[in-house]
């Protein structure tokens, strides 16, 4: 009999005292909401949820209907449970305060409610990414402000994602490695199907949007040229490439079979700090990747060590198989 999410979390608390009841309730609530998001995504055109709103998010991106729907679902499900001092999302400029008539708690929840949403209308895997921080000691008992969220990724208590693909899966770390749950649609349970996800240290597969090549910084260009040189080149092996343009799907592949994912900063003004967001994309994914034995850098620095300066800041992201990431990190450090 496979364990469900609650059993896993309770056993973790018994073994490691690292999942207090409030944290377990928060994770269970997020997971339950991801089931509801999965149902909405799964309906597609039948649920009148495809296509775009006539609105932009704080990133200046046109919002898909499902971006807005999934964001609201996460707010509605979590704001009343008494575990949170506040929530922040890719879809909202400012943090969402807990309404005064609900109790607050000790955690902060950040999420990208539906990452990869450009893929929604073409039926490619997308996902929900979440990150959990503690409300700072000196802020306990009051509503969280933006400053309270600005904590380095090493401060994360837990992180994970749901991937809405051929299977609906929940990938989670509470700091004791990485586990995977598969949604059993017949019972509505998240069942533990991967007990110790590990990323192979080496790989022969890289993920990057090649159409940006002319904008790349020299270390990235050098590394990709070496991959493309194949067996006869300095890396001595042939590489394959994948780019799903859905971070959750690309990271899920890497967690399961290795690889290196790159969305580096480049010479374009709009990407000079990178495209992906630090707080609710890079940090949770970096937490998972490191917990699975991989590495994650912005170029020369470990992403989890970065001290955020604002909620929606962007960063370069190079993550995956440890030896591969370290090679590219060395190229960046040599170029500095
Ligand atoms: P591009 C999706 O919009 C996203 O934020 C990530 O999920 C994905 O890795 C990246 O952007 C794709 O960007 O420029 O290749 O479309």
């Amino acid at each position: 009999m496979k364990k469900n999410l609650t059993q896993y979390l309770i056993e973790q608390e018994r073994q490691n005292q690292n999942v207090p009841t409030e944290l377990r309730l928060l994770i269970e609530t997020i997971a339950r909401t991801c089931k509801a998001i999965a149902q909405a995504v799964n309906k597609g055109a039948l649920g009148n949820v495809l296509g775009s709103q006539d609105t932009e998010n704080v990133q200046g991106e046109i919002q898909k209907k499902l971006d807005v729907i999934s964001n609201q679902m996460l707010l509605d499900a979590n704001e009343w449970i008494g575990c949170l001092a506040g929530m922040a999302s890719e879809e909202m400029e400012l943090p969402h305060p807990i309404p005064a008539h609900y109790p607050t708690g000790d955690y902060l929840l950040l999420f990208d409610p539906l990452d990869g949403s450009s893929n929604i209308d073409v039926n490619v895997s997308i996902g929900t990414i979440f990150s959990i921080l503690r409300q700072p000691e000196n802020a306990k008992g009051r509503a969280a402000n933006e400053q309270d969220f600005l904590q380095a990724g090493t401060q994360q208590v837990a992180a994970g994602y749901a991937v809405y693909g051929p299977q609906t899966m929940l990938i989670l770390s509470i700091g004791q490695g990485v586990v995977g749950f598969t949604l059993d649609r017949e019972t509505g349970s998240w069942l533990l199907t991967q007990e110790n996800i590990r990323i192979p240290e080496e790989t022969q597969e890289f993920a990057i949007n090649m159409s940006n090549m002319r904008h790349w910084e020299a270390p990235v260009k050098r590394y990709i040229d070496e991959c493309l040189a194949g067996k006869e080149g300095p890396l001595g092996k042939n590489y394959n490439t994948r780019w799903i343009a859905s971070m959750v799907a690309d990271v899920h592949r890497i967690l399961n079979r290795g690889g290196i994912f790159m969305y580096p900063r480049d010479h374009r003004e709009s990407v000079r700090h990178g495209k992906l967001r630090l707080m609710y994309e890079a940090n949770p994914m970096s937490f998972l990747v490191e917990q699975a034995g991989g590495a994650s850098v912005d170029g020369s620095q470990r992403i989890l060590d970065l001290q955020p300066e604002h909620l929606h800041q962007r960063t370069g992201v190079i993550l995956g198989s440890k030896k591969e990431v370290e090679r590219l990190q060395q190229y960046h450090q040599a170029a500095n």
Side-chain angles (χ1 to χ4, degrees), residues 139-333:
K140 287 229 164 101
R142 64 159 171 76
N145 58 36
E146 179 169 346
Q147 194 59 39
D148 297 333
F149 287 87
L150 302 184
Q151 302 176 39
T154 48
Q155 299 306 302
Q156 292 176 100
V157 173
Y161 62 80
V163 52
Y164 312 118
Q167 302 98 44
T168 298
M169 290 196 73
L170 178 75
I171 305 299
L172 174 71
S173 179
I174 51 175
Q176 298 289 327
V178 181
V179 289
F181 299 85
T182 301
L183 179 61
D184 177 344
R185 290 188 181 278
E186 289 164 16
T187 62
S189 295
W190 289 107
L191 298 183
L192 185 63
T193 48
Q194 290 178 278
E195 298 202 19
N196 181 24
I197 296 175
R198 302 295 295 171
I199 301 177
E201 287 209 349
E202 307 206 342
T203 183
Q204 290 177 247
E205 199 160 67
F206 69 85
I208 194 167
N209 183 334
M210 294 293 282
S211 70
N212 298 328
M213 183 181 287
R214 64 190 182 283
H215 305 301
W216 294 340
E217 296 178 347
V220 175
K221 184 72 172 58
R222 172 184 174 189
Y223 174 72
I224 296 298
D225 285 344
E226 290 179 352
C227 292
L228 296 174
K231 204 171 177 59
E232 298 70 33
L235 303 184
K237 53 187 175 178
N238 296 327
Y239 280 73
N240 197 2
T241 183
R242 288 282 183 279
W243 186 251
I244 305 175
S246 174
M247 185 185 198
V248 168
D250 279 315
V251 170
H252 191 71
R253 183 191 61 254
I254 288 167
L255 280 171
N256 281 281
R257 72 180 192 214
I260 180 170
F261 170 95
M262 294 157 278
Y263 211 113
R265 58 175 184 264
D266 65 35
H267 295 307
R268 288 173 290 177
E269 180 54 30
S270 61
V271 189
R272 65 193 178 91
H273 297 300
K275 171 182 183 183
L276 302 177
R277 294 78 173 181
L278 174 61
M279 297 305 295
Y280 39 78
E281 289 175 332
N283 271 345
M285 291 309 205
S286 299
F287 185 80
L288 291 170
V289 163
E290 286 200 4
Q291 283 288 318
S296 181
V297 297
D298 67 348
S300 51
Q301 288 186 70
R302 182 187 182 215
I303 282 180
L304 292 183
D305 288 336
L306 298 177
Q307 178 51 47
E309 291 171 11
H310 56 85
L311 197 54
H312 301 291
Q313 79 182 55
R314 299 173 190 262
T315 179
V317 179
I318 297 164
L319 61 75
S321 293
K322 193 177 180 69
K323 289 194 175 159
E324 217 70 34
V325 171
E326 287 174 347
R327 168 186 293 279
L328 185 42
Q329 182 181 22
Q330 285 154 17
Y331 293 175
H332 277 91
Q333 289 167 343

Side-chain angles (χ1 to χ4, degrees), residues 102-120:
Y102 291 138
T104 57
D106 294 343
Y107 295 99
L108 301 173
L109 174 62
L110 303 95
F111 49 83
D112 180 354
L114 208 54
D115 181 73
S117 50
S118 60
N119 291 301
I120 294 176

